[in-house]
Amino acid sequence: MSIPETRPRRLRQQPAIRRLVSETRLDPAELVLPMFVREGVSEPVEISSMPGVRQHTVDSAKRAAAEAAAAGIGGVMLFGVPAERDAVGSGATDPDGILNVATRALVAEVGDALVVQTDLCLDEFTDHGHCGVLDDRGRVDNDRTLDRYRDMALAQAESGSALLGLSGMMDGQVAAVRETLDAAGFDDTIILAYSAKFASALYGPFREAVDSQLQGDRRTYQLDPANRREGLREALIDEAEGADIVMVKPAGSFLDVLADVADTVSIPVWAYQVSGEYAMIEAAARQGWIDRRRAIEESVLSIKRAGAEAVLSYWAVELAVWLDEARGLRAGGTR
């Protein structure tokens, strides 16, 4: 019987040793909670395809944000769900529109404890559900859309958003927004570019969450899931245009792209664990097919391992609580 000369199992034999040699760690400060705030409702509305996630009222969003701050997560990303929509997404730039109202409310409530962030895109506000303005042939007009993004950036910055999440995938959007912000004196406002945002099948539950009116698809502006190099190219363009952070979305299906971007750019890289990723794990766990907590932890850990420095996840608060409990137990506490 031969005896192994190399024994990697030595580093796996006890929990304390495994923790000591762990290559990747999670921290609550690296988690961001996406939140939906809906106009015209008097109480939170459950999202059927995302068990445990709600469309909030402004008041319930304030309470949820306070809970998130208490859990120690890094930020909240706000999405507005308006009562009325039109072709150009007027509600996105209305100071009294739901997203801007909610932003002011949450900044006042928790703005010193975490980073209040806002989604900068027109899809929630248009009656056709696309991320931009349509031309007379029904195509998304890139450059007219940039004008709307400029106005939207000012509205969000004036409402107190510390970070604008540019998720529309229009060419030149980062340069247009950065120029507009700087000219208006908002040079401290952070730009998060959703650089590698793929035309994924995993956005379905999100469309329920924002009551999307989408007609057709977004393949003319979101990336083809078959393309790896294109994701890196988009990130490099956004970095050159002045983005402070770049994003890969969805996270779990594009870990190769995430690793490419993280290895190449010189600015922070984030990733969005999207609604479909959330829904699949929740559905399997409810059937008893997987261990819910372990699956959640593993899914987020894999995103971090691939190179994300922060992760947008609907489990952000729950995961932060688990991490805090684990730290307390390791320190000798019995909670």
Side-chain angles (χ1 to χ4, degrees), residues 22-68:
S22 178
E23 299 175 24
T24 307
R25 303 178 194 278
L26 296 176
D27 187 274
E30 300 165 338
L31 301 172
V32 176
L33 176 68
M35 294 178 60
F36 306 101
V37 188
R38 179 172 172 178
E39 186 176 27
V41 295
S42 57
E43 59 185 26
V45 177
E46 299 291 335
I47 300 168
S48 64
S49 56
M50 300 177 69
V53 180
R54 300 175 171 183
Q55 295 172 329
H56 286 283
T57 67
V58 173
D59 285 341
S60 70
K62 288 165 61 177
R63 293 191 295 270
E67 178 185 358

Short mmCIF file of all heavy atoms in Angstrom, two decimals, residues 22-68:
data_model
loop_
_atom_site.label_atom_id
_atom_site.label_comp_id
_atom_site.label_asym_id
_atom_site.label_seq_id
_atom_site.Cartn_x
_atom_site.Cartn_y
_atom_site.Cartn_z
N SER A 22 -9.17 29.76 5.03
CA SER A 22 -10.20 30.12 4.06
C SER A 22 -9.69 31.22 3.13
O SER A 22 -9.16 32.24 3.57
CB SER A 22 -11.46 30.59 4.78
OG SER A 22 -12.44 31.00 3.86
N GLU A 23 -9.87 31.04 1.84
CA GLU A 23 -9.39 32.01 0.85
C GLU A 23 -10.36 33.14 0.61
O GLU A 23 -9.97 34.21 0.12
CB GLU A 23 -9.11 31.28 -0.46
CG GLU A 23 -8.04 30.20 -0.37
CD GLU A 23 -7.90 29.45 -1.68
OE1 GLU A 23 -8.25 30.01 -2.73
OE2 GLU A 23 -7.43 28.29 -1.64
N THR A 24 -11.62 32.92 0.89
CA THR A 24 -12.66 33.92 0.60
C THR A 24 -13.57 34.06 1.81
O THR A 24 -13.99 33.05 2.40
CB THR A 24 -13.50 33.49 -0.61
OG1 THR A 24 -12.62 33.20 -1.71
CG2 THR A 24 -14.47 34.58 -1.02
N ARG A 25 -13.86 35.29 2.19
CA ARG A 25 -14.71 35.54 3.35
C ARG A 25 -15.80 36.54 2.97
O ARG A 25 -15.61 37.39 2.10
CB ARG A 25 -13.89 36.09 4.52
CG ARG A 25 -12.74 35.19 4.94
CD ARG A 25 -11.92 35.81 6.07
NE ARG A 25 -10.66 35.11 6.24
CZ ARG A 25 -10.51 33.97 6.93
NH1 ARG A 25 -11.56 33.43 7.53
NH2 ARG A 25 -9.33 33.38 7.02
N LEU A 26 -16.92 36.41 3.65
CA LEU A 26 -18.02 37.34 3.47
C LEU A 26 -18.11 38.28 4.66
O LEU A 26 -17.82 37.88 5.79
CB LEU A 26 -19.34 36.59 3.33
CG LEU A 26 -19.49 35.68 2.10
CD1 LEU A 26 -20.82 34.94 2.17
CD2 LEU A 26 -19.40 36.49 0.82
N ASP A 27 -18.51 39.50 4.39
CA ASP A 27 -18.71 40.49 5.44
C ASP A 27 -20.00 41.25 5.15
O ASP A 27 -20.28 41.57 3.98
CB ASP A 27 -17.53 41.46 5.50
CG ASP A 27 -17.61 42.39 6.69
OD1 ASP A 27 -18.28 43.44 6.58
OD2 ASP A 27 -17.03 42.07 7.75
N PRO A 28 -20.82 41.56 6.14
CA PRO A 28 -22.07 42.29 5.88
C PRO A 28 -21.87 43.59 5.12
O PRO A 28 -22.73 43.98 4.30
CB PRO A 28 -22.61 42.55 7.29
CG PRO A 28 -22.08 41.42 8.11
CD PRO A 28 -20.71 41.16 7.56
N ALA A 29 -20.76 44.28 5.35
CA ALA A 29 -20.51 45.56 4.69
C ALA A 29 -20.37 45.43 3.19
O ALA A 29 -20.45 46.43 2.46
CB ALA A 29 -19.27 46.22 5.28
N GLU A 30 -20.17 44.20 2.69
CA GLU A 30 -20.02 43.97 1.25
C GLU A 30 -21.33 43.58 0.59
O GLU A 30 -21.34 43.21 -0.59
CB GLU A 30 -18.99 42.86 1.02
CG GLU A 30 -17.61 43.19 1.57
CD GLU A 30 -16.71 41.98 1.68
OE1 GLU A 30 -17.23 40.84 1.73
OE2 GLU A 30 -15.48 42.19 1.71
N LEU A 31 -22.43 43.69 1.30
CA LEU A 31 -23.74 43.30 0.78
C LEU A 31 -24.63 44.52 0.58
O LEU A 31 -24.62 45.44 1.40
CB LEU A 31 -24.42 42.32 1.73
CG LEU A 31 -23.64 41.03 2.02
CD1 LEU A 31 -24.33 40.24 3.14
CD2 LEU A 31 -23.52 40.18 0.77
N VAL A 32 -25.38 44.51 -0.52
CA VAL A 32 -26.32 45.58 -0.83
C VAL A 32 -27.69 44.95 -1.06
O VAL A 32 -27.81 43.95 -1.78
CB VAL A 32 -25.88 46.36 -2.08
CG1 VAL A 32 -26.91 47.42 -2.46
CG2 VAL A 32 -24.51 47.01 -1.87
N LEU A 33 -28.71 45.54 -0.45
CA LEU A 33 -30.08 45.02 -0.54
C LEU A 33 -30.88 45.79 -1.60
O LEU A 33 -31.10 46.99 -1.45
CB LEU A 33 -30.79 45.15 0.80
CG LEU A 33 -32.26 44.73 0.82
CD1 LEU A 33 -32.40 43.22 0.61
CD2 LEU A 33 -32.92 45.15 2.13
N PRO A 34 -31.33 45.13 -2.68
CA PRO A 34 -32.26 45.78 -3.60
C PRO A 34 -33.64 45.90 -2.95
O PRO A 34 -34.11 44.95 -2.30
CB PRO A 34 -32.30 44.83 -4.80
CG PRO A 34 -31.14 43.90 -4.61
CD PRO A 34 -30.94 43.78 -3.15
N MET A 35 -34.29 47.05 -3.12
CA MET A 35 -35.60 47.28 -2.52
C MET A 35 -36.54 47.93 -3.53
O MET A 35 -36.12 48.79 -4.30
CB MET A 35 -35.48 48.21 -1.29
CG MET A 35 -34.72 47.62 -0.13
SD MET A 35 -34.58 48.80 1.25
CE MET A 35 -36.32 49.07 1.63
N PHE A 36 -37.80 47.52 -3.50
CA PHE A 36 -38.82 48.06 -4.39
C PHE A 36 -39.78 48.93 -3.59
O PHE A 36 -40.29 48.49 -2.55
CB PHE A 36 -39.59 46.92 -5.07
CG PHE A 36 -38.69 45.94 -5.77
CD1 PHE A 36 -38.37 44.72 -5.17
CD2 PHE A 36 -38.15 46.23 -7.00
CE1 PHE A 36 -37.54 43.81 -5.80
CE2 PHE A 36 -37.30 45.33 -7.65
CZ PHE A 36 -37.00 44.12 -7.04
N VAL A 37 -40.03 50.14 -4.07
CA VAL A 37 -40.97 51.03 -3.40
C VAL A 37 -42.08 51.37 -4.39
O VAL A 37 -41.82 51.89 -5.48
CB VAL A 37 -40.27 52.32 -2.91
CG1 VAL A 37 -41.24 53.14 -2.05
CG2 VAL A 37 -39.02 51.98 -2.11
N ARG A 38 -43.32 51.06 -4.00
CA ARG A 38 -44.45 51.18 -4.92
C ARG A 38 -45.34 52.35 -4.54
O ARG A 38 -45.68 52.56 -3.37
CB ARG A 38 -45.25 49.88 -4.90
CG ARG A 38 -46.47 49.88 -5.80
CD ARG A 38 -47.11 48.51 -5.87
NE ARG A 38 -48.37 48.52 -6.56
CZ ARG A 38 -49.13 47.44 -6.79
NH1 ARG A 38 -48.71 46.25 -6.37
NH2 ARG A 38 -50.27 47.54 -7.43
N GLU A 39 -45.73 53.08 -5.53
CA GLU A 39 -46.63 54.21 -5.34
C GLU A 39 -48.07 53.74 -5.26
O GLU A 39 -48.48 52.78 -5.92
CB GLU A 39 -46.47 55.17 -6.53
CG GLU A 39 -47.22 56.47 -6.42
CD GLU A 39 -46.93 57.39 -7.58
OE1 GLU A 39 -46.60 56.90 -8.68
OE2 GLU A 39 -47.03 58.62 -7.38
N GLY A 40 -48.86 54.39 -4.40
CA GLY A 40 -50.29 54.16 -4.37
C GLY A 40 -50.75 52.95 -3.58
O GLY A 40 -51.89 52.51 -3.75
N VAL A 41 -49.91 52.39 -2.72
CA VAL A 41 -50.34 51.28 -1.87
C VAL A 41 -50.22 51.71 -0.41
O VAL A 41 -49.38 52.53 -0.05
CB VAL A 41 -49.51 50.00 -2.12
CG1 VAL A 41 -49.76 49.47 -3.52
CG2 VAL A 41 -48.02 50.24 -1.89
N SER A 42 -51.08 51.15 0.41
CA SER A 42 -51.10 51.54 1.83
C SER A 42 -50.36 50.55 2.72
O SER A 42 -50.13 50.82 3.89
CB SER A 42 -52.55 51.67 2.31
OG SER A 42 -53.25 50.45 2.12
N GLU A 43 -49.99 49.40 2.17
CA GLU A 43 -49.22 48.41 2.92
C GLU A 43 -48.35 47.62 1.95
O GLU A 43 -48.62 47.62 0.74
CB GLU A 43 -50.15 47.47 3.69
CG GLU A 43 -51.12 46.72 2.83
CD GLU A 43 -52.09 45.89 3.66
OE1 GLU A 43 -52.35 46.24 4.82
OE2 GLU A 43 -52.57 44.87 3.13
N PRO A 44 -47.31 46.98 2.44
CA PRO A 44 -46.42 46.23 1.53
C PRO A 44 -47.18 45.15 0.76
O PRO A 44 -48.13 44.56 1.25
CB PRO A 44 -45.39 45.63 2.49
CG PRO A 44 -45.41 46.51 3.69
CD PRO A 44 -46.82 46.97 3.84
N VAL A 45 -46.70 44.91 -0.46
CA VAL A 45 -47.32 43.92 -1.34
C VAL A 45 -46.32 42.79 -1.59
O VAL A 45 -45.19 43.03 -2.02
CB VAL A 45 -47.72 44.55 -2.68
CG1 VAL A 45 -48.31 43.49 -3.62
CG2 VAL A 45 -48.71 45.69 -2.46
N GLU A 46 -46.71 41.55 -1.30
CA GLU A 46 -45.84 40.40 -1.51
C GLU A 46 -45.63 40.16 -3.01
O GLU A 46 -46.55 40.34 -3.81
CB GLU A 46 -46.44 39.15 -0.87
CG GLU A 46 -46.65 39.25 0.63
CD GLU A 46 -45.34 39.28 1.40
OE1 GLU A 46 -44.32 38.77 0.87
OE2 GLU A 46 -45.32 39.80 2.52
N ILE A 47 -44.44 39.73 -3.36
CA ILE A 47 -44.11 39.39 -4.74
C ILE A 47 -44.14 37.87 -4.86
O ILE A 47 -43.32 37.18 -4.25
CB ILE A 47 -42.72 39.94 -5.12
CG1 ILE A 47 -42.72 41.48 -4.97
CG2 ILE A 47 -42.35 39.54 -6.55
CD1 ILE A 47 -41.34 42.09 -5.05
N SER A 48 -45.09 37.34 -5.59
CA SER A 48 -45.36 35.90 -5.56
C SER A 48 -44.17 35.07 -6.04
O SER A 48 -43.93 33.98 -5.53
CB SER A 48 -46.59 35.58 -6.40
OG SER A 48 -46.37 35.89 -7.78
N SER A 49 -43.43 35.57 -7.02
CA SER A 49 -42.31 34.81 -7.56
C SER A 49 -41.02 34.98 -6.75
O SER A 49 -40.01 34.33 -7.05
CB SER A 49 -42.05 35.22 -9.01
OG SER A 49 -41.84 36.62 -9.10
N MET A 50 -41.06 35.83 -5.73
CA MET A 50 -39.90 36.06 -4.87
C MET A 50 -40.34 36.00 -3.42
O MET A 50 -40.49 37.02 -2.75
CB MET A 50 -39.26 37.42 -5.18
CG MET A 50 -38.77 37.56 -6.61
SD MET A 50 -38.10 39.21 -6.96
CE MET A 50 -36.60 39.16 -5.97
N PRO A 51 -40.59 34.80 -2.89
CA PRO A 51 -41.10 34.68 -1.52
C PRO A 51 -40.20 35.40 -0.52
O PRO A 51 -38.97 35.24 -0.53
CB PRO A 51 -41.07 33.16 -1.28
CG PRO A 51 -41.12 32.56 -2.64
CD PRO A 51 -40.38 33.50 -3.54
N GLY A 52 -40.82 36.22 0.31
CA GLY A 52 -40.07 36.97 1.31
C GLY A 52 -39.68 38.37 0.88
O GLY A 52 -39.21 39.17 1.70
N VAL A 53 -39.86 38.70 -0.41
CA VAL A 53 -39.54 40.04 -0.93
C VAL A 53 -40.85 40.78 -1.18
O VAL A 53 -41.82 40.19 -1.65
CB VAL A 53 -38.70 39.96 -2.22
CG1 VAL A 53 -38.36 41.35 -2.74
CG2 VAL A 53 -37.42 39.17 -1.96
N ARG A 54 -40.85 42.08 -0.90
CA ARG A 54 -42.07 42.88 -1.00
C ARG A 54 -41.85 44.14 -1.83
O ARG A 54 -40.74 44.64 -1.94
CB ARG A 54 -42.53 43.32 0.39
CG ARG A 54 -42.85 42.19 1.35
CD ARG A 54 -43.17 42.75 2.71
NE ARG A 54 -43.68 41.74 3.63
CZ ARG A 54 -44.08 42.00 4.87
NH1 ARG A 54 -44.02 43.25 5.34
NH2 ARG A 54 -44.55 41.03 5.64
N GLN A 55 -42.95 44.64 -2.37
CA GLN A 55 -43.01 46.02 -2.83
C GLN A 55 -43.39 46.85 -1.60
O GLN A 55 -44.43 46.62 -0.97
CB GLN A 55 -44.07 46.20 -3.90
CG GLN A 55 -43.79 45.46 -5.20
CD GLN A 55 -44.97 45.52 -6.14
OE1 GLN A 55 -46.13 45.58 -5.72
NE2 GLN A 55 -44.70 45.51 -7.44
N HIS A 56 -42.55 47.81 -1.25
CA HIS A 56 -42.75 48.57 -0.03
C HIS A 56 -43.55 49.85 -0.25
O HIS A 56 -43.53 50.43 -1.35
CB HIS A 56 -41.40 48.97 0.57
CG HIS A 56 -40.67 47.84 1.23
ND1 HIS A 56 -41.01 47.38 2.48
CD2 HIS A 56 -39.62 47.09 0.82
CE1 HIS A 56 -40.20 46.40 2.82
NE2 HIS A 56 -39.36 46.19 1.83
N THR A 57 -44.20 50.30 0.80
CA THR A 57 -44.62 51.69 0.89
C THR A 57 -43.39 52.49 1.31
O THR A 57 -42.37 51.92 1.72
CB THR A 57 -45.73 51.87 1.92
OG1 THR A 57 -45.19 51.61 3.24
CG2 THR A 57 -46.90 50.92 1.67
N VAL A 58 -43.48 53.80 1.26
CA VAL A 58 -42.35 54.61 1.72
C VAL A 58 -42.08 54.34 3.20
O VAL A 58 -40.92 54.18 3.61
CB VAL A 58 -42.60 56.10 1.46
CG1 VAL A 58 -41.49 56.95 2.10
CG2 VAL A 58 -42.66 56.38 -0.04
N ASP A 59 -43.12 54.23 3.98
CA ASP A 59 -42.93 54.00 5.43
C ASP A 59 -42.33 52.63 5.70
O ASP A 59 -41.42 52.49 6.54
CB ASP A 59 -44.26 54.15 6.17
CG ASP A 59 -44.69 55.60 6.31
OD1 ASP A 59 -43.82 56.49 6.18
OD2 ASP A 59 -45.88 55.85 6.56
N SER A 60 -42.83 51.59 5.02
CA SER A 60 -42.27 50.27 5.28
C SER A 60 -40.84 50.17 4.73
O SER A 60 -40.01 49.44 5.27
CB SER A 60 -43.16 49.16 4.69
OG SER A 60 -43.12 49.14 3.28
N ALA A 61 -40.54 50.91 3.68
CA ALA A 61 -39.17 50.95 3.16
C ALA A 61 -38.23 51.58 4.19
O ALA A 61 -37.09 51.12 4.36
CB ALA A 61 -39.11 51.73 1.85
N LYS A 62 -38.70 52.59 4.87
CA LYS A 62 -37.88 53.21 5.92
C LYS A 62 -37.58 52.21 7.03
O LYS A 62 -36.45 52.12 7.52
CB LYS A 62 -38.59 54.44 6.48
CG LYS A 62 -38.62 55.62 5.53
CD LYS A 62 -39.62 56.67 5.94
CE LYS A 62 -39.35 57.27 7.29
NZ LYS A 62 -40.31 58.35 7.63
N ARG A 63 -38.60 51.43 7.41
CA ARG A 63 -38.37 50.42 8.46
C ARG A 63 -37.42 49.34 7.98
O ARG A 63 -36.53 48.90 8.73
CB ARG A 63 -39.71 49.82 8.88
CG ARG A 63 -40.65 50.80 9.60
CD ARG A 63 -41.83 50.09 10.23
NE ARG A 63 -42.71 49.48 9.26
CZ ARG A 63 -43.75 50.10 8.70
NH1 ARG A 63 -44.01 51.38 9.00
NH2 ARG A 63 -44.53 49.47 7.83
N ALA A 64 -37.59 48.90 6.74
CA ALA A 64 -36.71 47.86 6.20
C ALA A 64 -35.28 48.37 6.08
O ALA A 64 -34.32 47.63 6.33
CB ALA A 64 -37.22 47.40 4.84
N ALA A 65 -35.12 49.62 5.71
CA ALA A 65 -33.78 50.20 5.59
C ALA A 65 -33.13 50.32 6.96
O ALA A 65 -31.92 50.10 7.11
CB ALA A 65 -33.86 51.55 4.91
N ALA A 66 -33.91 50.66 7.97
CA ALA A 66 -33.37 50.73 9.33
C ALA A 66 -32.92 49.35 9.80
O ALA A 66 -31.87 49.21 10.45
CB ALA A 66 -34.42 51.30 10.28
N GLU A 67 -33.69 48.32 9.45
CA GLU A 67 -33.29 46.94 9.78
C GLU A 67 -32.00 46.57 9.06
O GLU A 67 -31.11 45.94 9.63
CB GLU A 67 -34.41 45.98 9.39
CG GLU A 67 -34.10 44.51 9.65
CD GLU A 67 -35.19 43.58 9.14
OE1 GLU A 67 -36.22 44.06 8.62
OE2 GLU A 67 -35.00 42.35 9.24
N ALA A 68 -31.90 46.98 7.80
CA ALA A 68 -30.69 46.70 7.02
C ALA A 68 -29.48 47.40 7.63
O ALA A 68 -28.39 46.82 7.72
CB ALA A 68 -30.90 47.14 5.58
#
